[in-house]
Amino acid sequence: MKLVINVSKRLLNTKPSSFTKSRIRQKYVPHSVEPTKDEISYLQEFLSKHERTVILTGAGFSTESGIPDYRSDKVGLYSRKNYKPMQYQDFIKYASLRQRYWARSYVGWPGYSKIQPSKNHYIVANLEKSGVLHWLITQNVDHLHNRAGSLKVTELHGSLYSVRCLSCKMRIPRVDYQRQMEEMNQHWSVQSFERATDGDVFLTDDQVKGFQVPSCTSCGGSMMPKIVFFGDNVSKSKVEFLYEKVNQSDSILVLGSSLQVYSGYRFVLRAADQGKPIAIVNIGETRADKLASLKLNVKCGDILPLLQFPASITDDLA
């Protein structure tokens, strides 16, 4: 058994500029109770007993950075608004919906791109350095795990930080496409103070009028964020790659996901079929509660900093 040292306070002091501190938008985090000593001990034991854990994170993991999710009770978009997310086929077929999407994204991007990883993202990155994490699967498109230093990570649904052409498949960074939109819309200006989930904001139909959407500079095709919209599918090659990571693992830990979307739930099912232990930390019920050997109904940010990490990672935190 390796010596373990509680480094949560030192961890929180390593990247002060990256933490959202008082700017954390707690209004997007559903109500929860503090974890008990037993619950902390149970999760600590789960991580200590396994050496090749796959971690799966969902939208609830990033709410503490100020990004709203869809399904959280009372604070998720489905609870607060009559909200329908963009569907892949609608985006492909209708120029008017592409205009609305990009107008909302254009207004939301300056604020969204400044959102910082929370302490939770840095803790997961350090679990990778400690050797506990075998692979990280995130359902989020916010790129926050990568920015926190995670390397063994797959963005299951892609990333908003990249844009591609639907015709010739050319890719450009999102920041470059933002500049193109800015150049085409110098006389178009609106304001919105209500953030949505995917880097966008809420705008009325009247506000969207007049917004110009840049076409692909290579072929003139329509541009789309490099993400998986609702109604689209994760590529077969990516799914098979992640199935193999689950096959190689000895456990799976779900953080901040209700697992209502099958694209992520399938990996928990694979682990369950192989008889591997499953732990879930999420506020509210999940689709896999009956499959879990450990379910904690607490906020990630209330329990992850209280865990103890192998002494081998303290060099990175000094």
Side-chain angles (χ1 to χ4, degrees), residues 6 177 244 293:
N6 192 318
Y177 195 61
E244 183 58 27
S293 54

Side-chain angles (χ1 to χ4, degrees), residues 39 42-43 46-47 53-58 61 139 251-260 264-265 268-269 271-272 276-300 303-304:
E39 288 174 326
Y42 295 153
L43 185 57
F46 182 89
L47 289 171
T53 299
V54 165
I55 292 180
L56 172 66
T57 64
F61 195 78
Q139 299 174 97
S251 60
I252 189 165
L253 170 61
V254 178
L255 299 174
S257 176
S258 64
L259 299 170
Q260 293 302 314
Y265 179 55
V268 179
L269 288 177
K276 294 175 178 176
I278 298 164
I280 301 173
V281 179
N282 186 69
I283 303 173
E285 295 181 359
T286 83
R287 195 174 179 180
D289 283 358
K290 293 182 179 180
L291 302 176
S293 54
L294 175 63
K295 166 64 192 302
L296 302 179
N297 191 41
V298 300
K299 185 171 70 174
C300 292
I303 193 167
L304 294 183

Side-chain angles (χ1 to χ4, degrees), residues 115-135:
I115 292 175
Q116 297 297 313
S118 73
K119 58 190 175 184
N120 302 327
H121 293 93
Y122 289 108
I123 289 170
V124 169
N126 279 290
L127 285 175
E128 176 183 324
K129 294 176 184 178
S130 75
V132 173
L133 174 68
H134 179 63
W135 202 261

Side-chain angles (χ1 to χ4, degrees), residues 73-256:
D73 182 43
K74 296 182 181 179
V75 295
L77 286 185
Y78 290 160
S79 297
R80 294 186 288 114
K81 285 184 170 289
N82 183 20
Y83 181 78
K84 179 183 178 183
M86 177 62 70
Q87 301 291 313
Y88 174 70
Q89 289 299 329
D90 290 341
F91 188 93
I92 297 295
K93 292 179 180 179
Y94 304 111
S96 62
L97 294 184
R98 291 195 295 274
Q99 179 195 40
R100 185 184 72 179
Y101 175 86
W102 282 119
R104 290 169 47 148
S105 180
Y106 171 72
V107 176
W109 182 256
Y112 185 84
S113 60
K114 293 177 183 177
I115 292 175
Q116 297 297 313
S118 73
K119 58 190 175 184
N120 302 327
H121 293 93
Y122 289 108
I123 289 170
V124 169
N126 279 290
L127 285 175
E128 176 183 324
K129 294 176 184 178
S130 75
V132 173
L133 174 68
H134 179 63
W135 202 261
L136 171 61
I137 305 170
T138 182
Q139 299 174 97
N140 301 332
V141 295
D142 52 39
H143 209 55
L144 292 179
H145 281 297
N146 305 68
R147 292 170 60 190
S150 289
L151 299 176
K152 295 181 178 180
V153 54
T154 296
E155 294 173 311
L156 183 63
H157 298 146
S159 169
L160 287 171
Y161 280 72
S162 181
V163 180
R164 66 183 176 94
C165 174
L166 289 171
S167 299
C168 72
K169 311 305 179 186
M170 181 193 74
R171 298 185 189 180
I172 61 172
R174 177 63 175 78
V175 65
D176 290 349
Y177 195 61
Q178 184 76 6
R179 293 193 191 102
Q180 293 180 24
M181 289 190 285
E182 184 176 359
E183 291 173 2
M184 289 189 67
N185 294 280
Q186 295 183 28
H187 302 292
W188 181 90
S189 178
V190 299
Q191 284 187 320
S192 175
F193 301 99
E194 190 167 9
R195 179 175 293 159
T197 297
D198 293 325
D200 55 343
V201 296
F202 290 101
L203 298 177
T204 66
D205 290 342
D206 285 341
Q207 287 178 306
V208 170
K209 289 179 180 178
F211 184 81
Q212 300 296 313
V213 181
S215 300
C216 174
T217 57
S218 179
C219 74
S222 298
M223 301 297 285
M224 172 179 165
K226 190 66 174 64
I227 64 174
V228 178
F229 280 127
F230 283 86
D232 196 6
N233 296 310
V234 179
S235 68
K236 183 177 179 180
S237 60
K238 183 181 286 189
V239 171
E240 291 302 322
F241 173 82
L242 293 176
Y243 272 150
E244 183 58 27
K245 293 301 180 184
V246 175
N247 293 344
Q248 297 166 357
S249 73
D250 59 6
S251 60
I252 189 165
L253 170 61
V254 178
L255 299 174

